[in-house]
C-alpha cells in the first residue's frame, strides 16, 4: 500500500457541541491518497484531523470510490472521485484565506452531538456565509481514532521528531566545523591585511604630506607673482590715465584759445557791419537832402553798392565758419565724454578680472578641502579594519562621487575659461597689457588642471592597490585550501605508508616527503621550507609549551618562483608519471606569478630565517648556510628571488 500526501496544513475550525458555546480550535488537516494493488487496484482518500497541542486528538475518514458515490448522491456533488481531492483542497485554502477576517465568507465547522469532543463521531462542514443564509458545500463524518491508531500516530510523530533531531544535530556539527575553519582563515587574512593596510597608510600619509607641502609652496609663489603683476598693472594704468588727462587738458585749452580768437574776429566783423549800416543810413539821409547832387554822386553810390555786396558775401562766409567751429566744438566734447566712458569701462574690466581672480583662489581652496576630505576618508580605513570589504565598497562609492564632483568642477572651469576668452577678446581691442593678465590666468587654470590630474592619478593608484590586495587574498585562500587538503591526505596516507616497506615516506634528511597538489593542478613538489613548516605543526600540537623561533613564511610571488626553481631537481619519478597520465597542469597560473612594477610586494622570508640553527637539519645540503656566511641574505640561497 502506497500513500501520497496531498495536503498538510493547520486550519482554524469552529467547534460546536450540543448545549455548548461555539469555540475556535486550530486543527491540522492531513489528506493522503492511498493506492491498494492487492488483490484489486483501488484508490482511497484518507483524511486525518489532529491537534498539535493535544497528541490524543485524532479523527480519521477513509473514502473509497463506492463511499464517494453514496456521498455524491446524498449531498448533490457534481465532481468525480478523481477531481474531488483537489476541489476539497481548494475549499480548505479559501477557508484559510478568510480565517483572519472578522466576517469570513468560508468557514470550517466541527459539529459534535455530544457536549465535548470525547471520542464521539464528528462532522466537518465547509460553510459559505451570505447575507441570506449559511450554505454547506460539503459535510464529512469523521470517526475518533482507536487506541491502536492513536499509538501508531504517536509512534510516527516520535519517529519524525527523532529524524528531525538527527538531521539538526548533523547540520549543527557541520556548521560548527565550517565556522571554526572560516574563523581561523579570516583571522589569518585579517592579520595580513592589517599589516598591509598599515604599510599603505604610512605610504599614503607620506605622499599626501609631500603633495600638500609642494602645493602650498606653489600657491604662495603664484600669489606673490599675481600681486606683483597686479601692482605693475595698476601703476601702468595710473600713468596712462595721467597722460590721457594731460592730453585732454591741453587739447581743451587749445580749443578755448581758438574760440576766444574767433569770438574777437566775430566782434570786429559785427562792428564793421553796424558801421556800414550807419553809413548807409547817413547816405540815405544825405540822398533825401541832396537830390540835386544825386546825379553827381551816382558813380559814388554804385561803387558803394559794390562794396556792400562784397561785405555781405564776406559776412555770410564768416557765419558759415562760425557754425562749423561750433559743430567741431560739440564733436570734441562728445569725444571727451567717450574717452571718459572708456576709462570707466577699463576700470570695470579690471574689477571683473580681480573678482575672477578671487573666485579662482576660492576654487583652489575648495580643492584643498577636498584633498583634506580624502585624507580623512583614508584615516577612517584604520578604524574599520574588521569590516574591510564593506569599507572598500563605501570608499569606491565615495571615490565615484568625488570623481563626479571633479567633473562638474572641470565643466565650471571650462565655462569660466570661455567667459575669460570672450572678455579677453574685448580687452585685446582696447589694451595689449590686459592680454598678459588673461594669459597668466590661463596658466593658473592649467596648473589647477594638473593638480586635478595628479589627484586622479593618486585615486587610480589607490584602486590598483586595492585590486592587488584582492588578488593576493585570493591566492592566499587558494594556497591555504591546498595546504589543508595536503595535510588531510598525509593523515590518511600515514597508516598505509607504514605497511609499505618499499615506498618509505621519509626523506634522507629525516623529513616527510613533499606532497604534490594532484587535486589543484600543482604536480611539482613543495619547497623544503613548506615541508619544515608542516613538520613543526604536529610537534607544536603535541607539546603546547614548545615555541619555534622561526618566523612564519608569508607568500611572495618571488619566493614562489625561487621554491619552484630549487625543487625542480628533487621531483620523484612516480609523481611525474601520475601527473602526466592525468594530464594535469603544473603549478599556479602565470597571472599569479608575474611581477608587476607598480605592485606592492607581500612580506617574504626574513634574512635571518635561513641562518637559524633550527632550519639547518631540515634544509638540503645546497641550501644550508656555511658558518662563515652568517650574515648573507636569503637571496643568496634562492637565485630566483
Amino acid at each position: 500500500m502506497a500513500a501520497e500526501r496531498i495536503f498538510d496544513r493547520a486550519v482554524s475550525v469552529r467547534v460546536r457541541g450540543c448545549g455548548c458555546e461555539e469555540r475556535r480550535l486550530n486543527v491540522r488537516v492531513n489528506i493522503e491518497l492511498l493506492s491498494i494493488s492487492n488483490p484489486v487496484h483501488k484508490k482511497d482518500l484518507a483524511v486525518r484531523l489532529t491537534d498539535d497541542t493535544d497528541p490524543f486528538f485524532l479523527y480519521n475518514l477513509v473514502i473509497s470510490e463506492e463511499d464517494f458515490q453514496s456521498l455524491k448522491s446524498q449531498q448533490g456533488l457534481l465532481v468525480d472521485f478523481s477531481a474531488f481531492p483537489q476541489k476539497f483542497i481548494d475549499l480548505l485554502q479559501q477557508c484559510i484565506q478568510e480565517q483572519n477576517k472578522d466576517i469570513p465568507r468560508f468557514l470550517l465547522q466541527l459539529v459534535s452531538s455530544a457536549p465535548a469532543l470525547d471520542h464521539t463521531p464528528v462532522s466537518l462542514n465547509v460553510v459559505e456565509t451570505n447575507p441570506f443564509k449559511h450554505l454547506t458545500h460539503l459535510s464529512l463524518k469523521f470517526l475518533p481514532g482507536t487506541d491502536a491508531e492513536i499509538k501508531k500516530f504517536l509512534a510516527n510523530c516520535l519517529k519524525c521528531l527523532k529524524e528531525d533531531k538527527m538531521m539538526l544535530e548533523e547540520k549543527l556539527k557541520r556548521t560548527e566545523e565550517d565556522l571554526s575553519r572560516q574563523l581561523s582563515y579570516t583571522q589569518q587574512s585579517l592579520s595580513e591585511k592589517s599589516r598591509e593596510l598599515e604599510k599603505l597608510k604610512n605610504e599614503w600619509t607620506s605622499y599626501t604630506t609631500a603633495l600638500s607641502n609642494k602645493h602650498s609652496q606653489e600657491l604662495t609663489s603664484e600669489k606673490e607673482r599675481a600681486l606683483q603683476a597686479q601692482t605693475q598693472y595698476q601703476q601702468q594704468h595710473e600713468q596712462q590715465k595721467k597722460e590721457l588727462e594731460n592730453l585732454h587738458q591741453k587739447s581743451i585749452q587749445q580749443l578755448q584759445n581758438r574760440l576766444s580768437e574767433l569770438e574777437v574776429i566775430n566782434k570786429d566783423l559785427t562792428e564793421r557791419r553796424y558801421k556800414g549800416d550807419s553809413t548807409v543810413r547817413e547816405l540815405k539821409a544825405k540822398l533825401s537832402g541832396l537830390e540835386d547832387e544825386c546825379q553827381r554822386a551816382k558813380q559814388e553810390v554804385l561803387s558803394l553798392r559794390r562794396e556792400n555786396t562784397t561785405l555781405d558775401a564776406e559776412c555770410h562766409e564768416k557765419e558759415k565758419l562760425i557754425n562749423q567751429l561750433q559743430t567741431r566744438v560739440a564733436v570734441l566734447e562728445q569725444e571727451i565724454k567717450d574717452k571718459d566712458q572708456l576709462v570707466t569701462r577699463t576700470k570695470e574690466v579690471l574689477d571683473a578680472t580681480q573678482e575672477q581672480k578671487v573666485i579662482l583662489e576660492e576654487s583652489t581652496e575648495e580643492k584643498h578641502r577636498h584633498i583634506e576630505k580624502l585624507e580623512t576618508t583614508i584615516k577612517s580605513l584604520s578604524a574599520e579594519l574588521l569590516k574591510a570589504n564593506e569599507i572598500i565598497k563605501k570608499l569606491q562609492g565615495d571615490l565615484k562621487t568625488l570623481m563626479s564632483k571633479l567633473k562638474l568642477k572641470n565643466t565650471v572651469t571650462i565655462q569660466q575659461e570661455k567667459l575669460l576668452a570672450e572678455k579677453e577678446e574685448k580687452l585685446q581691442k582696447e589694451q595689449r597689457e590686459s592680454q598678459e593678465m588673461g594669459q597668466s590666468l590661463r596658466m593658473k587654470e592649467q596648473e589647477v588642471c594638473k593638480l586635478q590630474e595628479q589627484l586622479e592619478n593618486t585615486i587610480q593608484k589607490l584602486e590598483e592597490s586595492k585590486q592587488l590586495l584582492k588578488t593576493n587574498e585570493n591566492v592566499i585562500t587558494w594556497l591555504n585550501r591546498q595546504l589543508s587538503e595536503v595535510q588531510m591526505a598525509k593523515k590518511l596516507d600515514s597508516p598505509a605508508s607504514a605497511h609499505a616497506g618499499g615506498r618509505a615516506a621519509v626523506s634522507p634528511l629525516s623529513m616527510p616527503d613533499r606532497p604534490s597538489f594532484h587535486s589543484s593542478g600543482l604536480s611539482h613538489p613543495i619547497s623544503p621550507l613548506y615541508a619544515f613548516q608542516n613538520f613543526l605543526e604536529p610537534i607544536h600540537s603535541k607539546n603546547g609549551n614548545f615555541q619555534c623561533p622561526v618566523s612564519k613564511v608569508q607568500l611572495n610571488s618571488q619566493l614562489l618562483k625561487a621554491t619552484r626553481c630549487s625543487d625542480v631537481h628533487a621531483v620523484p619519478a612516480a609523481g611525474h608519471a601520475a601527473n602526466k597520465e592525468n594530464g594535469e597542469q603544473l603549478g599556479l597560473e602565470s597571472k599569479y606569478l608575474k611581477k608587476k612594477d607598480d605592485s606592492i610586494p607581500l612580506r617574504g622570508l626574513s634574512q635571518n630565517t635561513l641562518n637559524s640553527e633550527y632550519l639547518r637539519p631540515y634544509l638540503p645540503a645546497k641550501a644550508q648556510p656555511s658558518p662563515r656566511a652568517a650574515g648573507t641574505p636569503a637571496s643568496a640561497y634562492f637565485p630566483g628571488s
Side-chain angles (χ1 to χ4, degrees), residues 34 36 40-45 62-74 77 79-82 84:
L34 304 173
I36 303 163
V40 183
H41 185 71
K42 287 183 181 181
K43 277 191 176 181
D44 294 338
L45 183 69
V62 179
I63 302 170
S64 63
E65 292 184 4
E66 293 84 7
D67 296 335
F68 179 73
Q69 294 299 327
S70 63
L71 190 135
K72 183 178 180 183
S73 61
Q74 284 173 9
L77 299 175
V79 184
D80 295 332
F81 181 73
S82 60
F84 174 70

Side-chain angles (χ1 to χ4, degrees), residues 364-404:
T364 51
E365 287 176 357
E366 286 178 357
K367 282 164 187 175
H368 279 294
R369 288 172 190 167
H370 281 297
I371 291 162
E372 289 175 357
K373 285 180 182 177
L374 283 169
E375 289 174 356
T376 53
T377 53
I378 290 159
K379 287 177 183 177
S380 67
L381 279 168
S382 62
E384 297 176 355
L385 274 173
L386 294 171
K387 297 177 181 179
N389 293 322
E390 293 177 2
I391 290 165
I392 287 161
K393 289 178 183 177
K394 287 178 183 178
L395 280 171
Q396 285 175 354
D398 294 332
L399 285 169
K400 285 179 183 177
T401 52
L402 284 169
M403 289 294 286
S404 61

Side-chain angles (χ1 to χ4, degrees), residues 286-302 305:
K286 285 178 181 179
L287 275 169
S288 63
L290 295 170
E291 287 178 355
D292 294 335
E293 293 177 355
C294 187
Q295 290 179 355
R296 295 177 183 174
K298 275 182 182 179
Q299 293 177 354
E300 291 177 356
V301 168
L302 288 167
R305 281 179 181 175

Side-chain angles (χ1 to χ4, degrees), residues 444-459:
K444 286 176 187 176
E445 288 170 356
Q446 286 175 0
E447 287 171 356
V448 169
C449 291
K450 286 178 183 176
L451 287 170
Q452 289 175 355
E453 288 175 357
Q454 288 176 359
L455 233 182
E456 289 175 357
N457 289 325
T458 53
I459 292 161

